[in-house]
């Protein structure tokens, strides 16, 4: 079920020329990130639908996009402003392309429109600038 939503989001983000790749998130930070800037699509929370009628379930789905750029610090460990701006520009393009987007597969609507629910810079990974752009949507099945 989530793979179809992943594919719809990946296709929607493919118009962002500055992204070199779009991947399913599988904690790539613990391995080698081969290309950048890259977007990782994550479903960070359990999808737990509730039965609303005998034949209809509904639930909220959280989606997090990791916008990841390699950042080379200067000799004095300062991060160049241009690196920050480039990552921010890509994250804004992700937000603009997905906020209000309705995922479909083979012409069938998979969920309601995506709604922006969060924006966070994540500072854990040295050498990488990571911005989380989060969305929520509802699924009825």
């Amino acid at each position: 079920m989530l793979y179809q939503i992943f594919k719809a989001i990946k296709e929607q983000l493919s118009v962002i020329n500055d992204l070199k790749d779009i991947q399913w998130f599988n904690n790539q930070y613990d391995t080698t990130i081969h290309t950048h800037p890259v977007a990782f699509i994550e479903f960070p929370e359990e999808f737990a639908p509730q039965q609303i009628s005998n034949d209809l379930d509904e639930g909220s789905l959280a989606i997090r996009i990791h916008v990841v750029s390699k950042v080379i610090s200067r000799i004095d460990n300062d991060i160049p402003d241009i690196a920050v701006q480039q990552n921010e520009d890509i994250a804004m393009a992700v937000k603009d392309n997905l906020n209000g987007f309705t995922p479909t597969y083979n012409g069938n609507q998979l969920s309601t429109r995506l709604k922006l629910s969060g924006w966070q810079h994540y500072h854990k990974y040295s050498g990488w600038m990571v911005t989380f752009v989060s969305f929520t949507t509802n699924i009825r099945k």
Side-chain angles (χ1 to χ4, degrees), residues 47-59 109-112 138-141:
F47 174 65
Q50 303 294 314
Q51 187 172 13
I52 59 175
S53 71
N54 283 341
D55 55 352
L56 188 61
D57 294 335
E58 181 178 62
Q109 184 174 328
L110 300 172
S111 73
T112 59
N138 287 324
I139 297 176
R140 282 190 169 186
K141 293 282 179 188

Side-chain angles (χ1 to χ4, degrees), residues 31-50:
T31 60
T32 301
I33 299 174
H34 295 284
T35 189
H36 62 88
V38 62
F40 299 131
I41 301 171
E42 177 185 15
F43 302 98
E45 298 170 13
E46 175 186 14
F47 174 65
Q50 303 294 314

